């Protein structure tokens, strides 16, 4: 099979569509499936003179071109030229010139802009000398791209924010954070996602705001970066996680993106209470490892009385672990789950024999809240049902107050 490249301008491409030289609807093509939003983003890319992926066409025996790959792009271009789409002037990143064009149809564009659009070139590959199955195989390969994670997509936003997060990820690797120490790797840029969310939570100074992928993307896009205090707190929390993970040899933590976020937040709070946290690594490590061991054990056996985990009230901790596990899925990112995990960690700390000095430094109101919720958990017939009511109680409202 031979692929011959050419670079026709859009005026030429549209003319070939009108004359039927370029067939957008061969038998093997799917229907037009792009939303208007996706179409207007393509038009926006062309108005910015950005790269547009190439078109592949099959040249048949009558020398007609049938679109193999690129139908949705060509259909969007055709619809815009025919006045079926308007320019969206609000697509990020903001562009003053395009903003002024917002709402205009193709025929309403200033002549200079319309001419620039018509002269925009697009790479087109013509397939000739092919065997019967080759175009279909190429179509299949072109349409099975790797689906990027949100973190991988954000990595394309060059700027200060991305560089700061990448520096923190590098720091995590340098202090020993890896799949061997915490249970999962940075495959698909998982650490970048965790650290970006931590930085945003620290800037909010609270866990009561849901951090969405779109908010993180917006922060990357703006590129103004995080505050120096946020970066320092994040770096210290990562260092503390590494110290804890490596403190007890042979005991690997088994975390996911949800639980590591909770522990990093906990470490940032501990450091605010104990600037000399490095001197407390041993008791903190013991607490974290026994908490993690205990919750995984409860998940398998529903019991905590078979081991001395250092907790003063095993029955209370069985309920704490049940709530934590229920809200510990990596897919659980709602505010209530994030806050409940934080509550359960602090209730566990207040119950652990190695943590009294650190817990004693909490504000009186926080200590009272821990005790109230602990008693409610012990008394509840079903702690998982109680967890929902906790989140609408005054105790949760207090817990959510910015630090």
């Amino acid at each position: 099979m031979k692929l011959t490249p050419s670079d026709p301008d859009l005026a030429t491409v549209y003319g070939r569509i009108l004359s039927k030289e370029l067939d957008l609807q061969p038998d093997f093509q799917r229907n037009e499936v792009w939303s208007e939003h996706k179409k207007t983003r393509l038009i926006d890319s062309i108005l910015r003179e950005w790269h547009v992926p190439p078109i592949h066409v099959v040249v048949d025996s009558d020398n007609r071109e049938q679109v193999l790959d690129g139908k949705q792009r060509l259909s969007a271009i055709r619809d815009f030229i025919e006045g079926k789409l308007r320019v969206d002037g609000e697509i990020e990143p903001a562009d003053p010139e395009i903003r002024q064009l917002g709402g205009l149809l193709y025929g309403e564009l200033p002549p200079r802009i319309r001419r620039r659009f018509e002269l925009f070139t697009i790479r087109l590959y013509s397939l000739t000398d092919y065997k019967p199955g080759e175009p279909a195989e190429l179509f299949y390969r072109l349409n099975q791209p790797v689906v990027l994670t949100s973190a991988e997509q954000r990595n394309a936003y060059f700027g200060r924010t991305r560089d700061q997060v990448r520096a923190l990820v590098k720091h995590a690797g340098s202090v020993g954070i890896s799949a061997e120490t915490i249970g999962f790797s940075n495959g698909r840029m998982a650490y970048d996602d965790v650290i970006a969310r931590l930085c945003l939570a620290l800037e909010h100074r609270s866990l009561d705001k849901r951090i969405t992928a779109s908010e993180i993307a917006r922060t990357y896009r703006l590129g103004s970066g995080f505050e120096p205090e946020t970066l320092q707190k994040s770096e210290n929390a990562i260092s503390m996680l590494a110290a804890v993970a490596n403190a007890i040899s042979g005991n690997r933590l088994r975390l996911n993106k949800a639980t590591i976020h909770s522990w990093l937040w906990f470490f940032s709070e501990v450091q605010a209470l104990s600037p000399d946290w490095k001197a407390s690594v041993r008791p903190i490590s013991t607490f974290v490892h026994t908490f993690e061991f205990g919750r995984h054990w409860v998940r398998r056996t529903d019991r905590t009385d078979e081991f001395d985990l250092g907790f003063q009230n095993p029955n209370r901790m069985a309920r704490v672990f049940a709530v934590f596990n229920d809200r510990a899925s990596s897919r659980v990112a709602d505010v209530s789950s994030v806050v409940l995990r934080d509550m359960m960690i602090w209730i566990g700390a207040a119950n652990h024999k190695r943590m009294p000095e650190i817990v004693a430094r909490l504000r009186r109101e926080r200590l009272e809240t821990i005790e109230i919720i602990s008693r409610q958990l012990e008394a509840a017939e079903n702690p998982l049902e109680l967890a929902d009511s906790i989140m609408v109680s005054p105790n949760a409202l207090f817990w959510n107050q910015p630090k």
Side-chain angles (χ1 to χ4, degrees):
M1 180 168 62
K2 182 179 178 182
L3 279 75
T4 305
S6 61
D7 297 286
D9 58 41
L10 294 187
T12 300
V13 170
Y14 179 64
R16 284 155 68 175
I17 294 173
L18 284 184
S19 66
K20 308 298 184 183
E21 295 175 54
L22 188 56
D23 183 6
L24 299 189
Q25 194 62 46
D27 294 338
F28 52 79
Q29 268 290 1
R30 57 181 177 166
N31 293 326
E32 295 179 18
V33 296
W34 272 16
S35 65
E36 183 172 321
H37 175 69
K38 197 163 186 178
K39 290 179 180 180
T40 55
R41 289 180 73 87
L42 175 72
I43 301 305
D44 180 83
S45 295
I46 295 172
L47 291 172
R48 294 172 192 260
E49 298 185 280
W50 288 359
H51 170 73
V52 172
I55 307 297
H56 292 74
V57 300
V58 178
V59 181
D60 64 17
S61 57
D62 296 325
N63 215 33
R64 279 201 329 153
E65 298 171 326
Q66 301 184 48
V67 177
L68 178 73
D69 184 70
K71 172 188 173 177
Q72 308 301 323
R73 275 161 273 153
L74 293 178
S75 297
I77 292 166
R78 177 204 61 199
D79 289 351
F80 181 60
I81 293 175
E82 293 181 352
K84 298 175 183 177
L85 294 172
R86 294 183 182 274
V87 176
D88 184 347
E90 303 301 319
I91 296 176
E92 297 286 348
D95 183 288
E97 182 182 51
I98 294 177
R99 181 166 288 171
Q100 289 184 345
L101 304 176
L104 297 182
L105 296 170
Y106 175 75
E108 299 168 340
L109 294 176
R112 175 180 60 87
I113 302 297
R114 193 162 62 243
R115 185 61 179 158
R116 190 172 75 192
F117 184 90
E118 293 170 352
L119 292 177
F120 182 86
T121 59
I122 188 167
R123 175 54 61 97
L124 186 146
Y125 288 100
S126 299
L127 280 63
T128 55
D129 300 334
Y130 46 83
K131 296 176 183 176
E134 289 180 328
E137 178 62 22
L138 177 59
F139 178 79
Y140 172 75
R141 296 186 187 189
L142 290 171
N143 286 279
Q144 57 168 3
V146 174
V147 178
L148 299 179
T149 65
S150 296
E152 289 170 327
Q153 292 173 14
R154 291 193 296 267
N155 196 48
Y157 289 118
F158 289 86
R160 190 177 177 197
T161 307
R162 188 199 75 151
D163 292 345
Q164 289 172 338
V165 172
R166 294 300 298 156
L168 288 169
V169 171
K170 185 176 181 180
H171 170 70
S174 71
V175 294
I177 300 297
S178 67
E180 286 68 39
T181 54
I182 65 170
F184 70 97
S185 72
N186 193 32
R188 310 305 305 272
M189 306 189 80
Y191 295 172
D192 294 68
D193 191 53
V194 167
I195 290 171
R197 291 176 185 276
L198 174 66
C199 288
L200 274 174
L202 289 171
E203 297 229 321
H204 295 325
R205 298 177 57 237
S206 173
L207 295 175
D208 68 345
K209 181 176 180 182
R210 184 177 183 186
I211 298 171
T212 63
S214 60
E215 182 188 2
I216 303 174
R218 186 163 56 250
T219 304
Y220 270 62
R221 190 182 293 118
L222 290 173
S224 54
F226 297 109
E227 296 293 331
E229 181 184 8
T230 296
L231 298 174
Q232 190 60 61
K233 286 181 178 180
S234 298
E235 182 176 319
N236 290 344
I238 292 167
S239 296
M240 191 169 186
L241 173 64
V244 165
N246 291 293
I248 302 179
S249 62
N251 286 350
R252 185 184 76 167
L253 295 173
R254 289 181 291 163
L255 307 178
N256 61 23
K257 288 168 65 175
T259 56
I260 196 174
H261 181 275
S262 294
W263 283 116
L264 287 170
W265 179 263
F266 172 75
F267 295 147
S268 72
E269 291 189 308
V270 167
Q271 289 168 7
L273 296 170
S274 308
D276 59 339
W277 63 269
K278 291 182 180 179
S280 306
V281 165
R282 193 69 186 179
I284 294 170
S285 299
T286 301
F287 163 62
V288 174
H289 280 271
T290 52
F291 187 100
E292 283 293 314
F293 177 85
R295 77 176 185 89
H296 286 295
W297 181 257
V298 164
R299 176 174 283 167
R300 294 193 302 269
T301 67
D302 201 31
R303 299 181 64 181
T304 58
D305 56 357
E306 296 186 21
F307 294 95
D308 179 11
L309 298 176
F311 294 106
Q312 299 170 2
N313 190 326
N315 178 58
R316 176 179 294 181
M317 289 309 301
R319 291 163 175 263
V320 166
F321 292 146
V323 173
F324 190 94
N325 286 337
D326 185 58
R327 302 302 182 107
S329 165
S330 59
R331 291 185 173 87
V332 178
D334 56 279
V335 169
S336 63
S337 294
V338 174
V339 173
L340 279 168
R341 289 198 303 268
D342 188 50
M343 286 181 173
M344 297 306 108
I345 287 175
W346 276 108
I347 292 173
N351 269 271
H352 201 273
K353 298 172 184 177
R354 300 294 301 273
M355 295 291 287
E357 292 185 13
I358 292 173
V359 173
R361 298 175 188 176
L362 289 170
R363 288 179 295 171
R364 178 177 57 83
E365 296 87 353
R366 174 67 74 95
L367 290 169
E368 291 174 352
T369 302
I370 287 173
E371 185 57 30
I372 290 170
I373 296 175
S374 297
R375 290 176 179 174
Q376 290 176 339
L377 282 171
E378 277 193 271
E381 184 174 338
N382 186 332
L384 301 186
E385 292 181 359
L386 174 67
D388 293 325
S389 63
I390 287 174
M391 288 310 303
V392 295
S393 69
N395 297 319
L397 296 176
F398 167 76
W399 199 276
N400 286 338
Q401 289 179 0
K403 305 296 184 289

